[in-house]
Every structure is written in C-alpha cells, then in structure tokens.
Amino acid sequence: YKSIWSNYESWLHKNKYSALEACLNHVIMDKRISSVVVGIENKKQLEEIINIRKIKIKYNSNFGYISKNIIDPRTWLKK
C-alpha cells in the first residue's frame, strides 16, 4: 500500500490539507452518515474540528483501488 499512501500524502501536501481535515471532511460530507463521534484533548482541537465543516474539498479519485484491508480497522491485526 506504499504507493497509495505516497499518492495520498502528496495530494494532501499539494492541496495544503491536513490528514484530519481531509478524512473528517470526507465523513462529514457523506450524506449516508448522520453522526460522527470524535475525541479532543483541548479547545484548539475542538475549534479545528468545528471549522472542518466549512472546508470544501474536491477529492482525488486517482488514489487507485483501496482494499478493504486498509480501510477496515477490524482487519488491521490480521496477517
């Protein structure tokens, strides 16, 4: 999956997004998801999370096929 992560990190850098902004914004904008639970450690993190909703991100569809093994945490410990 090294090439997928490299492509993703390059896209983040090129578009000046943090991984938090890109990932959380993707979930927030998905109409199929009605609620999101996040944890915070301080007020600054809360403000950053609240402001993510204001960002309009155009996602790159050229990341390639992403296996369920990389996006489903239930599979991460399996070899």
Side-chain angles (χ1 to χ4, degrees):
Y1 303 113
K2 190 174 185 176
S3 65
I4 293 171
W5 286 117
S6 178
N7 192 10
Y8 172 69
E9 289 171 358
S10 295
W11 176 80
L12 288 174
H13 180 73
K14 178 182 174 185
N15 291 285
K16 299 179 181 164
Y17 298 130
S18 71
L20 174 65
E21 290 170 331
C23 293
L24 191 53
N25 184 269
H26 180 72
V27 172
I28 290 171
M29 294 303 159
D30 189 325
K31 302 288 186 216
R32 298 169 295 174
I33 300 171
S34 61
S35 300
V36 178
V37 177
V38 296
I40 61 166
E41 295 177 344
N42 56 50
K43 182 180 175 183
K44 181 180 177 187
Q45 288 178 350
L46 177 61
E47 290 169 350
E48 182 180 6
I49 290 168
I50 290 170
N51 288 327
I52 288 172
R53 177 164 244 163
K54 299 173 187 174
I55 299 171
K56 301 294 183 207
I57 296 177
K58 182 177 180 184
Y59 292 92
N60 184 347
S61 61
N62 296 323
F63 290 139
Y65 170 76
I66 300 177
S67 165
K68 181 180 178 180
N69 293 335
I70 200 169
I71 61 172
D72 186 347
R74 295 173 295 179
T75 65
W76 292 352
L77 295 177
K78 295 178 183 175
K79 301 269 178 186

